[in-house]
Amino acid sequence: MNPAETLPKLKRRIDDYLWREDGLPIQRLREILATNFEPLGPVAIIGGLVRDIARKGKVGFQSDIDLVIDAEPARVAALAAKLDATPNRFGGFASVHPHWKVDFWSLPNTWASAVNLVRTRTLADLVDTTFFDCDAICYEVQTRKVHALPGYLERLAERTIDVNLLPNPSIDGNLLRAARRILLWHFRPGPGLRAFIERELNEESFDRIVATEQLLYSNDVLGFFSGTQQLLDAILGDKMPTRFSGFGEQLELPGFDK
């Protein structure tokens, strides 16, 4: 399936997947949302589900669920205790449910908001908080509204990926995400991401992200490269390597990096 052409068409894709599918996993997800998260306040799905359905439809979604709740941090922390959720590095919590792993945050505790980089007054402001522009999209569960950066779908159609908000709490994590997305999606880095990679990817960080990938992913991509320069040539060069065609798109590091 091609990238969604308009936000209304994307909304239809997400609505169909979340509210009209009748498989057991999606039924369980609806129960999780209605029972645990919606009672706290407005809830947005951000990250993989919305992005990947925008890129490829429901077959493209192969990630966990990332939620942000417009609620006081204390109420979200109380829910985390009830669910026996584990705190993550970025101010949120990770919880495991039948068929799903759900990471969740209170809106004020999303990373860019907590460190005063972005003023998040509503869930729509989440699109200004993501490191990658391809992640700058969210879906409000109760209102079924989609919020995205201007030009979001056009950039997907052009197969480009760039930096949305440069400061971030995980340089190595975003280097790894950038390399895997460029190689597995066959995307091209925009100027901001190119500069980030050129500045941050060196022999030491290369070794670290290769080790992290081997630990967390079943499809080893960076292991094909002998060192930093070979990887730089592949992800920043003019010719996209063909060796990764057909690789599974297991892309995400655990935890929404906000």
Side-chain angles (χ1 to χ4, degrees), residues 58-123:
K58 66 180 182 180
V59 297
F61 174 55
Q62 302 179 30
S63 185
D64 303 324
I65 302 294
D66 291 326
L67 302 177
V68 178
I69 307 114
D70 189 357
E72 290 297 320
R75 297 188 66 205
V76 176
L79 174 63
K82 176 183 175 182
L83 297 177
D84 197 24
T86 304
N88 62 35
R89 292 185 299 156
F90 309 118
F93 302 91
S95 58
V96 179
H97 307 262
H99 304 283
W100 298 97
K101 178 177 177 289
V102 179
D103 291 335
F104 59 96
W105 287 256
S106 70
L107 182 61
N109 276 1
T110 53
W111 183 79
S113 179
V115 299
N116 296 315
L117 284 172
V118 177
R119 186 180 180 187
T120 51
R121 293 166 293 185
T122 69
L123 293 172

Side-chain angles (χ1 to χ4, degrees), residues 1-255:
M1 182 178 285
N2 293 325
E5 296 175 351
T6 66
L7 290 181
K9 289 183 179 180
L10 172 57
K11 170 180 159 50
R12 194 173 308 126
R13 286 186 185 183
I14 300 169
D15 288 345
D16 285 346
Y17 178 68
L18 284 178
W19 312 117
R20 300 183 183 103
E21 290 273 332
D22 58 3
L24 183 59
I26 201 65
Q27 290 184 43
R28 291 289 182 263
L29 179 58
R30 289 194 288 262
E31 292 172 5
I32 291 165
L33 291 170
T35 302
N36 296 307
F37 297 101
E38 292 182 56
L40 295 186
V43 178
I45 302 173
I46 190 166
L49 183 147
V50 187
R51 180 200 65 225
D52 292 340
I53 290 178
R55 287 196 311 118
K56 296 181 68 174
K58 66 180 182 180
V59 297
F61 174 55
Q62 302 179 30
S63 185
D64 303 324
I65 302 294
D66 291 326
L67 302 177
V68 178
I69 307 114
D70 189 357
E72 290 297 320
R75 297 188 66 205
V76 176
L79 174 63
K82 176 183 175 182
L83 297 177
D84 197 24
T86 304
N88 62 35
R89 292 185 299 156
F90 309 118
F93 302 91
S95 58
V96 179
H97 307 262
H99 304 283
W100 298 97
K101 178 177 177 289
V102 179
D103 291 335
F104 59 96
W105 287 256
S106 70
L107 182 61
N109 276 1
T110 53
W111 183 79
S113 179
V115 299
N116 296 315
L117 284 172
V118 177
R119 186 180 180 187
T120 51
R121 293 166 293 185
T122 69
L123 293 172
D125 295 322
L126 288 169
V127 303
D128 297 319
T129 69
T130 66
F131 177 78
F132 292 102
D133 60 355
C134 63
D135 293 331
I137 190 165
C138 67
Y139 175 89
E140 289 199 49
V141 172
Q142 289 96 327
T143 63
R144 305 189 185 185
K145 291 181 179 178
V146 177
H147 306 288
L149 280 184
Y152 178 90
L153 294 176
E154 289 80 0
R155 288 189 292 276
L156 281 189
E158 293 166 358
R159 305 182 72 85
T160 63
I161 180 173
D162 211 342
V163 171
N164 179 33
L165 179 69
L166 183 58
N168 71 94
S170 179
I171 290 174
D172 282 359
N174 284 319
L175 276 177
L176 179 52
R177 289 183 180 93
R180 288 178 61 85
R181 291 176 181 184
I182 291 166
L183 293 167
L184 293 176
W185 293 355
H186 290 233
F187 272 40
R188 287 297 182 193
L193 185 56
R194 176 179 289 270
F196 172 78
I197 293 169
E198 290 173 340
R199 182 173 62 252
E200 301 294 349
L201 184 59
N202 51 49
E203 293 299 332
E204 290 78 16
S205 60
F206 175 81
D207 289 342
R208 292 195 301 267
I209 65 176
V210 168
T212 298
E213 184 189 44
Q214 292 173 347
L215 179 66
L216 297 177
Y217 295 95
S218 61
N219 56 346
D220 183 3
V221 173
L222 303 190
F224 279 92
F225 299 96
S226 61
T228 305
Q229 191 57 54
Q230 192 179 38
L231 178 59
L232 283 170
D233 290 344
I235 62 180
L236 301 183
D238 294 331
K239 187 175 181 181
M240 176 62 65
T242 59
R243 69 177 70 179
F244 302 107
S245 297
F247 264 56
E249 287 192 1
Q250 185 193 354
L251 287 162
E252 297 310 302
L253 290 168

